[in-house]
C-alpha cells in the first residue's frame, strides 16, 4: 500500500453531503472554531452560510496551485468520519483510492491488516 498522495478523491466524493459530525464535534466547533460552525445547519455539515443549502463539496478542501494535490484547511479539527477514512479495502476500491497497489487487490485480507495498522492512530479498529 502506498502512502496517501493527497489526491483528494475521498474529500471530493464525501464532502458534498456525504459526511456527518457528532453533536459534540458541532458543539466544540461552535465554541472553538466558529468559522467551521458557520457551515453547520440543523445538525448537518457543509451548509452554505449564505444560502442555507448543502454545499457541493467541503468548503475546507483546497487544491494546491499547479499540482494534483489537495489540502484540508481544518485537518486537525475535521470531523471524525474524515479522520477514520479509509476504513476498509472495499471502500478504497469503490472510491478508487490511489493508495492501493495491485498486490493489495490480490490479497485484500493482508491489505486490510496493513490499512488497520496505518490507521491505528486515526480511528477505532474495524470490527469483524
Amino acid at each position: 500500500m502506498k502512502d496517501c498522495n493527497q489526491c483528494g478523491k475521498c474529500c471530493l466524493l464525501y464532502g458534498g453531503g456525504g459526511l456527518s459530525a457528532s453533536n459534540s464535534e458541532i458543539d466544540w466547533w461552535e465554541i472553538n472554531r466558529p468559522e467551521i460552525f458557520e457551515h453547520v445547519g440543523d445538525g448537518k455539515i457543509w451548509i452554505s452560510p449564505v444560502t442555507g443549502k448543502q454545499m457541493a463539496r467541503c468548503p475546507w478542501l483546497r487544491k494546491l496551485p499547479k499540482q494534483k494535490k489537495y489540502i484540508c484547511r481544518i485537518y486537525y479539527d475535521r470531523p471524525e468520519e474524515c479522520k477514520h477514512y479509509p476504513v476498509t479495502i472495499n471502500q478504497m476500491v469503490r472510491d478508487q483510492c490511489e493508495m492501493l497497489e495491485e498486490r493489495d487487490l490480490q490479497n485484500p485480507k493482508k491489505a486490510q491488516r496493513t490499512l488497520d495498522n496505518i490507521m491505528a492512530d486515526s480511528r477505532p479498529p474495524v470490527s469483524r
Side-chain angles (χ1 to χ4, degrees), residues 54-65:
Q54 181 70 57
M55 299 176 80
R57 65 181 249 189
C58 175
W60 309 109
L61 183 66
R62 292 291 178 259
K63 188 172 185 303
L64 295 174

Side-chain angles (χ1 to χ4, degrees), residues 20-46 77-80:
S20 63
S22 68
N23 289 334
S24 62
E25 288 175 298
I26 292 170
D27 291 344
W28 190 88
W29 290 336
E30 183 175 19
I31 295 165
N32 298 290
R33 296 293 304 271
E35 70 280 15
I36 299 173
F37 182 74
E38 286 178 2
H39 291 84
V40 175
D42 291 327
K44 296 179 181 174
I45 62 173
W46 313 159
D77 298 321
R78 70 197 188 278
E80 288 293 320

Side-chain angles (χ1 to χ4, degrees), residues 5-22:
N5 65 3
Q6 296 176 271
C7 72
K9 285 182 181 178
C10 51
C11 297
L12 293 167
L13 285 170
Y14 297 105
L19 292 172
S20 63
S22 68

Side-chain angles (χ1 to χ4, degrees), residues 89-90 103-114:
I89 296 301
N90 288 340
R103 67 179 177 208
D104 299 322
L105 301 174
Q106 293 170 357
N107 192 342
K109 286 185 180 182
K110 181 178 179 188
Q112 184 66 55
R113 287 191 301 273
T114 300

